[in-house]
Amino acid sequence: MEIRVGQVAVHAVEHGAGAGPPVLVLHGAGVDHREAEACFEPALDGVAGLRRIYPDLPGTGRTPAPASLRSADDVVDTLLRFADEVTGGTAYLLVGHSAGAYFAQAMAARRPERVAGLALVCPLLPAVREVPEHRVVVGSGDIGDDVFRSYFVIQTPEMLERYRRYVAPAAALVDEAALERIGEHWALTPASPPAPAYPGPVVVVAGRLDSTVGHAAAVDLVHHYPHASLAVVDDAGHALPHEQPDVLRALLAEWLTRVERSL
């Protein structure tokens, strides 16, 4: 489907329907909805009533990023308007991986009354620190291309196949110039006065071996959000949703239980 938001025609795919809240799943930088769909759909499919929506972020996949989008703030504004359109004004859940989690946090902060729950997986954060060196824990480290070898810490033929199916194809669709333009103003403008912490159910999932954003800054979020669960997963890097699907499924199930209780 395609939802026009101002000058941006946001492309998205949708699964499921029912009486439960919609779930908006945001992918990371340099990929498109296919990676998020492949990683999160197995955990969300089968949960009664959930309508899952996977948009391509501006400048990726089939969503363009016109010249009017010049910052992360502009991207968040676009995503908030997209969420309003696609959910019909009802409360929704937000799931984000990497940069998608960065945008999801901002959306929840700006519209807490609209967000029924927030799941942050390997979140990109302004306070990223203590990022470890990349280390392979399974495999010889000599299969795949350089991007695969720097992204996955579990480097098996199965993970390489996932990379080739769900990650690599997005590279040809990325608008590099647009992402560079937006990236020059990637830091979101703080609210003034500062907004209170999002009060709903939160789960934060980080990979101990994440050599892209680390896990130290993610750990701090458990003190920021009053109703947050935190998991730092061993033998997982930034590709945690691929590498540890069973752990991710269990953590999202616990989060969904808390969301249901809060509705």
Side-chain angles (χ1 to χ4, degrees):
M1 66 177 173
E2 185 176 285
I3 303 293
R4 180 159 290 278
V5 180
Q7 298 182 16
V8 184
V10 179
H11 174 262
V13 298
E14 180 179 339
H15 300 282
V23 186
L24 190 63
V25 186
L26 307 180
H27 63 78
V31 293
D32 61 26
H33 76 274
R34 286 172 288 184
E35 181 176 31
E37 186 181 27
C39 292
F40 292 98
E41 189 61 12
L44 300 174
D45 185 21
V47 180
L50 288 185
R51 173 185 170 216
R52 291 92 61 198
I53 304 160
Y54 299 84
D56 288 335
L57 300 184
T60 69
R62 292 166 59 187
T63 300
S68 58
L69 267 63
R70 307 198 62 83
S71 68
D73 289 313
D74 293 336
V75 173
V76 170
D77 289 341
T78 299
L79 291 173
L80 285 170
R81 294 172 65 188
F82 169 78
D84 288 343
E85 290 288 334
V86 80
T87 65
T90 62
Y92 54 90
L93 309 184
L94 269 175
V95 178
H97 175 236
S98 188
Y102 183 55
F103 297 136
Q105 287 183 87
M107 294 170 70
R110 296 183 189 185
R111 302 270 184 87
E113 73 285 353
R114 293 291 312 283
V115 177
L118 180 63
L120 308 172
V121 181
C122 303
L124 171 66
L125 298 165
V128 162
R129 65 185 191 282
E130 300 175 34
V131 177
E133 293 292 326
H134 185 67
R135 178 166 63 89
V136 177
V137 295
V138 178
S140 62
D142 60 2
I143 63 173
D145 60 19
D146 290 343
V147 176
F148 169 77
R149 289 193 292 269
S150 65
Y151 185 28
F152 284 73
V153 302
I154 297 179
Q155 297 187 8
T156 62
E158 178 190 3
M159 291 298 110
L160 180 57
E161 175 62 18
R162 291 185 65 85
Y163 166 77
R164 287 173 171 167
R165 288 185 63 187
Y166 305 122
V167 180
L173 301 178
V174 171
D175 185 339
E176 298 287 358
L179 295 192
E180 183 177 353
R181 180 182 70 241
I182 293 168
E184 290 177 357
H185 305 281
W186 76 273
L188 291 161
T189 303
S192 182
Y198 169 70
V202 177
V203 62
V204 180
V205 187
R208 184 174 292 277
L209 302 179
D210 190 330
S211 60
T212 301
V213 300
H215 69 271
V219 170
D220 295 342
L221 293 178
V222 78
H223 304 294
H224 176 70
Y225 293 114
H227 296 288
S229 293
L230 168 70
V232 178
V233 183
D234 200 15
D235 287 352
H238 202 59
L240 181 153
H242 296 282
E243 296 169 333
Q244 299 290 348
D246 294 338
V247 175
L248 181 63
R249 184 182 300 112
L251 292 167
L252 291 176
E254 183 275 336
W255 169 67
L256 288 170
T257 299
R258 289 190 288 126
V259 169
E260 185 177 10
R261 287 201 305 262
S262 70
L263 294 176

